[in-house]
Amino acid sequence: MAKRSALADYNSKRDFKKTPEPAGEVAASDGGNLFIVQKHEATRLHWDLRLEIDGVLKSWAVTKGPSHDPDIKRLAVRTEDHPMSYAEFEGVIPQDEYGGGTVMLWDRGTWDPIEGKSAKDLVDGHLHFVLNGERMKGEWLLIRLRKKPGEKRENWLLRKLNDEFAGTGDALVEREIRSIATNRSMAEIAAGKTARPKPKSKTRKKPPASSTKNNRPAPLEIERSAPLPKYRKPQLATLVDDVPTGNGWMHEIKFDGYRALIAAKGKSVKIFTRNGKDWSDKFLPLKKAFADLDLPPSLIDGEIVAHDANGNPDFSALQSMLKRGKSQQEDSDVLTFYGFDLLTLGKTDLTDLPNIERKEHLADLLTDAGPNIRVAEHVVGSGEKLLKLMCDAGQEGIISKKIDAPYRSKRTKDWRKIKCLRRDDFIIIGYKASKSRGRAFASLLMAQKVDSKLVYRGNVGTGFSASQMDELAAKLNRLARKTAPVEVDAVAARGVSWVTPKLIANVAYAELTSSGRIRHGSFLGLQEAGPKRSAKGSIPKKAKTKSAPHGVKITSADRVVFPNGNFTKGEVADYYDHLAEPMLEFLARRPVSLVRCPQGRAKKCFFQRHDSGALGDHVHAVPIAEKDGGTEDYLYVEDRTGILQCVQMGTLEFHGWGSSVDDVEKPDRMVFDLDPDEGLDFQDVKSASQLIREQLDQMGLVSFPLLSGGKGVHIIVPLTPGHDWQQHKDFSQRFAQALALAEPDRFVASMSKAKRKGKIFIDWMRNRRSSTAILPYSVRAREGAPVAAPLSWFELDDTKAANRFTIADRDLLIERSRKLEGWGIAEQVLPDL
């Protein structure tokens, strides 16, 4: 049998009529020791490390890129061998092809195993080697990780060893953003731009330890004779709900001030607003401060900020200062300009340079600036942490920018803004009619009680779904009154229909302005009244039920299926019969897995998700494609009879997919299952649930708590279908991992039992295609017949256990379902990934 080519996998994955990559041919093995690293922006940004061994390039995909910090270990996933000709490849692989995306030649040089070692050590799962590249130097180590059961890919760890070339942090990937072959950025490669000349700079044997000063761009030649720069439209950020991840992004504080462009040349200074108005006379202290710097011709983009008594940016303070007039500003030192971009310098237009390079040139330009002119700080790759810090400090949010993107005078997704939102309850006192057909009202007028007196807080006109508007309009009409229940100025009262102040709305907003008005408010929903604590209801023990409504005969109804609670099969059927209506809101027409216990929970139970044809004529099947290309019939029900037919066949639990049978490929529900370690109590779970709720709120996502009936809480995030399972899984995984990263002593996003000790596992894996989660009102096959029960966020604090409700609480659960109308329902889309 002919020996399989080392490049068979490489060639089989590519259509060389469509991809510019070279076809694979094994080169003659001449003992060569080339190594290269290619930066590759495919489905996810990564760096491909390739070592020449036996005439091919052995390859690993390094997530987050190599680090010269010995304390940072990088996951390196082994990939197929590549041909030696790949060492020169740089360009764009078509998106529909394998590995579609932009490829940069990021580093190259030679490698050698350390003395006494060889490339053959790879077979044993480790390689200790030395690199002599343009960027990666010194001793490195590759170690293969043990495969987990069912794991297909081969995972390794790449680590820098402590030597003269070691440093700290992620300087290699943060600062080295151009091709070593063509000096192009990723954006320039993707756009097909030609090679750029490499700047002349002195080489260093050892990179400095500080990641903030490593490999700064070469100084620019500045022509001071150039004219004072003219205004140009600034680049604007796109509002998103989640922080982009990875080392390809830099993150800055979102300052709560006035956007401004500073045109400076020596003593001549103009301060433009984002719309091009000359506001130099409104910011005289800053104009003088820039004039004192005697800058060369330059156009600087940034934000003018006023600080409060605690030193925090305060938009209200800035507004108040501007109202005082310029004469009172001349001696004012409350203004600070934070520069974050440099568009021109001398006669040089810098807008085609990468973000990070423009920022470096700006830092050089403003080195000697005083305390009122600063360069906005940034972090790379830790945007979630920065956002949390800003939100905890009561700030507005952050701006995330692609490190290697050019400057464009328009709104782009290369700049993204993520806002911190506050939430509060406001009393609805009126509404303004809408001029748009199909919209019940334009906005709601809000108020709050201050010292027992109602105070007007402004209007909220966004966040309503069509159905919410119709429901609200009906409630408001019943509360109509002729006079305003609170003092409102004449302008705000124009065209308002007043209502008796009884309805309380939950509103997300940026802040209250200096005049006490809601800024950037969005309606989240009406306040849910917390139900009063009631004594547990009861249902007759030892029910002799022989049949249930809708013609479903329950055989062996007297069989005890929960020995500890002495509950029978008939009582389980009676529970599901009464709770069918609220349960079907979440169960109907959704692929389900059943937990069947024909002999009771103390005996053998099993999962069933495929149709056997024996459950009943109201238990339906939907064909769903499997990974192997075939299809299987999955179960679903759509009415009370279907539920009871499943119970007749010994079903205790119902677990549902995150999508409906109408379009199984479009998920409509995300679930985060909080699973505490043995040593934690339910108070820890409640606290964690509230934190996750707040994080989701800040991303614009409404969530609902569900007692699991076990020991944890499920956080339910309803979604409008429109995204696919990959996006669904990726979002939930990144969210869970970000929380685990932000609070490593509290959360873990890994299933590993060893890592979960003393922590709460955020189980995001229920959001994968074909995975299921327990459905609201389902019985649990656990001791005491507990129930998965919905509740409001207000109730959660008073709840003492996740198994608070059992099937004995049937009547109480029915009553609660009416009070929790609207639970688990929200029209909201998954934020862009």
Side-chain angles (χ1 to χ4, degrees):
M1 182 180 292
K3 185 178 180 180
R4 190 171 186 265
S5 168
L7 297 176
D9 286 344
Y10 172 87
N11 287 324
S12 66
K13 292 179 177 180
R14 291 163 174 83
D15 183 345
F16 296 106
K17 294 179 181 178
K18 297 180 180 178
T19 180
E21 299 165 285
E25 294 181 4
V26 179
S29 180
D30 58 1
N33 62 342
L34 174 73
F35 95 87
I36 66 163
V37 178
Q38 285 160 319
K39 186 176 179 181
H40 189 178
E41 190 164 18
T43 304
R44 292 178 180 83
L45 180 66
H46 62 276
W47 281 251
D48 291 308
L49 169 66
R50 310 194 196 279
L51 305 179
E52 179 183 2
I53 300 175
D54 296 334
V56 298
L57 294 169
K58 301 291 183 183
S59 301
W60 291 261
V62 182
T63 59
K64 299 185 179 180
S67 171
H68 67 177
D69 190 334
D71 292 331
I72 297 177
K73 303 177 183 69
R74 291 293 194 228
L75 176 66
V77 180
R78 184 77 178 269
T79 60
E80 74 277 10
D81 295 344
H82 282 54
M84 291 301 303
S85 52
Y86 211 90
E88 301 297 325
F89 177 67
E90 180 172 280
V92 180
I93 303 171
Q95 287 295 337
D96 293 336
E97 294 301 299
Y98 176 77
T102 305
V103 178
M104 170 196 287
L105 191 54
W106 186 81
D107 198 11
R108 64 183 165 195
T110 59
W111 79 278
D112 291 287
I114 66 166
E115 187 175 352
K117 300 292 184 179
S118 75
K120 294 180 181 179
D121 291 339
L122 281 175
V123 177
D124 298 323
H126 58 84
L127 183 64
H128 187 176
F129 56 102
V130 176
L131 294 180
N132 183 24
E134 294 190 31
R135 292 167 179 170
M136 295 177 69
K137 299 178 184 291
E139 292 186 43
W140 296 75
L141 193 64
L142 272 168
I143 303 174
R144 185 171 60 213
L145 301 178
R146 181 178 298 175
K147 274 193 175 182
K148 299 176 182 177
E151 191 172 58
K152 294 181 179 179
R153 68 184 192 178
E154 190 176 301
N155 292 331
W156 295 60
L157 285 180
L158 175 68
R159 180 190 172 199
K160 180 76 183 73
L161 296 184
N162 203 356
D163 60 17
E164 61 176 322
F165 298 103
T168 58
D170 272 321
L172 283 175
V173 294
E174 288 179 10
R175 302 297 168 181
E176 301 290 5
I177 60 172
R178 289 194 173 276
S179 163
I180 48 98
T182 62
N183 198 33
R184 296 182 295 174
S185 67
M186 292 289 278
E188 289 170 335
I189 295 170
K193 293 193 174 183
T194 57
R196 297 165 54 100
K198 299 182 75 172
K200 295 179 180 179
S201 59
K202 295 180 180 180
T203 58
R204 298 186 181 191
K205 184 178 181 181
K206 176 185 176 182
S210 172
S211 67
T212 61
K213 297 185 181 294
N214 189 30
N215 298 304
R216 298 179 70 86
L220 296 171
E221 293 185 10
I222 303 173
E223 296 186 48
R224 298 188 71 96
S225 62
L228 181 73
K230 295 181 179 179
Y231 162 82
R232 63 193 301 171
K233 288 181 65 176
Q235 179 160 336
L236 302 178
T238 299
L239 179 63
V240 298
D241 296 312
D242 61 318
V243 182
T245 58
N247 289 325
W249 293 86
M250 52 193 278
H251 311 277
E252 301 169 343
I253 297 172
K254 186 180 188 302
F255 295 104
D256 197 8
Y258 274 112
R259 182 75 173 276
L261 282 88
I262 309 295
K265 180 188 177 183
K267 299 299 182 182
S268 298
V269 176
K270 286 189 176 182
I271 302 178
F272 297 106
T273 68
R274 59 182 283 180
N275 296 318
K277 295 180 180 178
D278 186 344
W279 274 23
S280 304
D281 61 336
K282 292 181 181 288
F283 299 110
L284 291 179
L286 284 179
K287 180 179 179 180
K288 182 179 184 301
F290 272 103
D292 290 344
L293 286 177
D294 192 27
L295 295 176
S298 48
L299 185 61
I300 305 168
D301 193 358
E303 192 99 356
I304 297 174
V305 172
H307 295 93
D308 62 17
N310 297 318
N312 294 317
D314 187 341
F315 187 76
S316 297
L318 182 58
Q319 283 183 315
S320 298
M321 189 211 68
L322 289 173
K323 289 177 182 177
R324 294 202 306 266
K326 67 179 182 181
S327 61
Q328 291 176 283
Q329 294 180 43
E330 289 178 353
D331 297 323
S332 173
D333 60 357
V334 299
L335 288 177
T336 301
F337 176 82
Y338 288 91
F340 47 68
D341 220 312
L342 182 60
L343 281 58
T344 64
L345 186 60
K347 291 184 178 180
T348 306
D349 187 327
L350 306 182
T351 55
D352 282 339
L353 292 180
N355 258 325
I356 194 75
E357 286 193 27
R358 301 195 306 272
K359 191 81 173 284
E360 299 283 9
H361 288 305
L362 177 64
D364 289 338
L365 181 69
L366 300 181
T367 299
D368 299 322
N372 296 100
I373 299 175
R374 305 178 189 177
V375 176
E377 297 289 339
H378 68 263
V379 297
V380 174
S382 300
E384 296 92 346
K385 286 186 177 180
L386 180 62
L387 180 64
K388 183 180 186 304
L389 287 171
M390 291 302 100
C391 296
D392 290 348
Q395 298 301 302
E396 191 174 0
I398 67 173
I399 299 287
S400 300
K401 301 176 180 179
K402 269 193 177 179
I403 279 181
D404 60 355
Y407 189 98
R408 294 292 177 257
S409 295
K410 60 181 180 179
R411 192 176 300 279
T412 79
K413 287 193 174 182
D414 290 340
W415 288 16
R416 304 182 185 185
K417 55 184 174 183
I418 305 96
K419 290 186 176 183
C420 299
L421 289 179
R422 298 164 174 80
R423 286 187 61 157
D424 209 344
D425 290 330
F426 295 86
I427 302 168
I428 301 174
I429 58 170
Y431 62 91
K432 286 195 173 185
S434 174
K435 296 179 181 178
S436 301
R437 178 180 292 182
R439 187 175 169 92
F441 51 82
S443 63
L444 299 178
L445 277 72
M446 302 292 183
Q448 281 184 320
K449 281 191 176 180
V450 179
D451 296 331
S452 301
K453 180 183 177 182
L454 272 182
V455 176
Y456 173 56
R457 288 299 193 208
N459 295 21
V460 174
T462 62
F464 310 97
S465 67
S467 58
Q468 281 178 321
M469 293 193 89
D470 291 340
E471 292 173 10
L472 266 172
K475 292 179 179 180
L476 294 171
N477 285 336
R478 290 194 290 270
L479 296 173
R481 57 182 283 167
K482 294 182 179 180
T483 58
V486 61
E487 185 177 337
V488 179
D489 63 86
V491 175
R494 191 175 299 145
V496 172
S497 297
W498 304 108
V499 298
T500 302
K502 288 188 175 182
L503 296 178
I504 300 175
N506 194 235
V507 175
Y509 62 103
E511 65 171 355
L512 292 180
T513 66
S514 57
S515 58
R517 302 292 185 262
I518 296 169
R519 187 171 176 223
H520 302 316
S522 180
F523 177 83
L524 297 176
L526 291 179
Q527 185 190 73
E528 297 177 18
K532 295 179 181 179
R533 295 295 296 271
S534 304
K536 286 188 175 182
S538 61
I539 54 177
K541 300 288 184 182
K542 293 287 184 180
K544 301 293 182 179
T545 310
K546 297 296 181 183
S547 62
H550 306 280
V552 180
K553 184 177 182 181
I554 304 299
T555 60
S556 304
D558 295 335
R559 180 191 297 139
V560 175
V561 291
F562 286 91
N564 296 81
N566 212 26
F567 295 115
T568 66
K569 180 181 178 182
E571 289 169 341
V572 173
D574 182 72
Y575 169 84
Y576 276 118
D577 182 27
H578 282 80
L579 270 296
E581 183 175 343
M583 187 174 183
L584 283 168
E585 286 189 42
F586 311 99
L587 167 64
R589 298 189 63 77
R590 189 177 294 276
V592 292
S593 293
L594 310 175
V595 175
R596 292 178 59 193
C597 307
Q599 302 304 314
R601 70 161 294 273
K603 305 293 183 179
K604 185 176 181 180
C605 298
F606 60 93
F607 260 92
Q608 180 178 343
R609 59 178 179 171
H610 297 311
D611 182 33
S612 62
L615 291 171
D617 57 355
H618 280 251
V619 181
H620 308 291
V622 55
I624 297 178
E626 301 277 73
K627 289 182 179 179
D628 61 6
T631 60
E632 289 284 354
D633 287 336
Y634 283 71
L635 299 169
Y636 75 94
V637 299
E638 53 188 3
D639 56 20
R640 185 192 309 264
T641 301
I643 294 175
L644 295 173
Q645 286 180 341
C646 291
V647 174
Q648 160 57 16
M649 297 303 292
T651 297
L652 293 183
E653 296 187 3
F654 292 83
H655 296 249
W657 274 45
S659 62
S660 75
V661 299
D662 302 308
D663 192 345
V664 295
E665 303 305 333
K666 299 295 183 185
D668 62 2
R669 186 181 74 154
M670 186 170 285
V671 178
F672 294 100
D673 177 5
L674 302 192
D675 185 7
D677 184 52
E678 297 287 345
L680 300 178
D681 60 26
F682 193 60
Q683 183 60 41
D684 296 309
V685 179
K686 292 191 294 184
S687 175
S689 299
Q690 294 288 4
L691 173 62
I692 291 175
R693 176 205 183 188
E694 292 169 6
Q695 295 297 318
L696 291 167
D697 282 349
Q698 290 172 10
M699 305 172 86
L701 292 174
V702 178
S703 58
F704 302 86
L706 175 76
L707 296 178
S708 69
K711 57 181 182 177
V713 170
H714 288 195
I715 297 175
I716 313 298
V717 183
L719 296 165
T720 302
H723 59 283
D724 59 27
W725 280 109
Q726 186 65 41
Q727 293 169 298
H728 198 71
K729 180 191 75 105
D730 288 351
F731 181 93
S732 62
Q733 180 180 7
R734 293 213 302 264
F735 180 86
Q737 290 174 341
L739 272 176
L741 180 65
E743 301 215 26
D745 295 330
R746 190 176 185 185
F747 296 112
V748 63
S750 167
M751 288 187 68
S752 169
K753 288 286 186 183
K755 295 180 180 179
R756 291 166 62 178
K757 190 166 184 63
K759 301 178 183 180
I760 294 173
F761 172 41
I762 309 173
D763 186 356
W764 55 267
M765 289 176 282
R766 299 180 184 276
N767 300 301
R768 299 179 297 185
R769 186 182 185 274
S770 81
S771 294
T772 59
I774 196 69
L775 289 167
Y777 301 107
S778 173
V779 177
R780 303 306 307 270
R782 299 171 183 260
E783 183 176 343
V787 174
L791 72 168
S792 72
W793 285 111
F794 300 100
E795 292 180 276
L796 183 59
D797 288 338
D798 295 327
T799 301
K800 291 183 168 48
N803 58 358
R804 168 184 170 185
F805 299 99
T806 73
I807 63 171
D809 297 307
R810 184 199 70 190
D811 294 337
L812 174 61
L813 287 165
I814 294 171
E815 179 185 354
R816 283 173 49 81
S817 72
R818 299 188 185 107
K819 293 180 179 179
L820 288 171
E821 184 179 356
W823 185 97
I825 300 171
E827 292 189 20
Q828 54 190 4
V829 297
L830 189 68
D832 292 336
L833 297 176

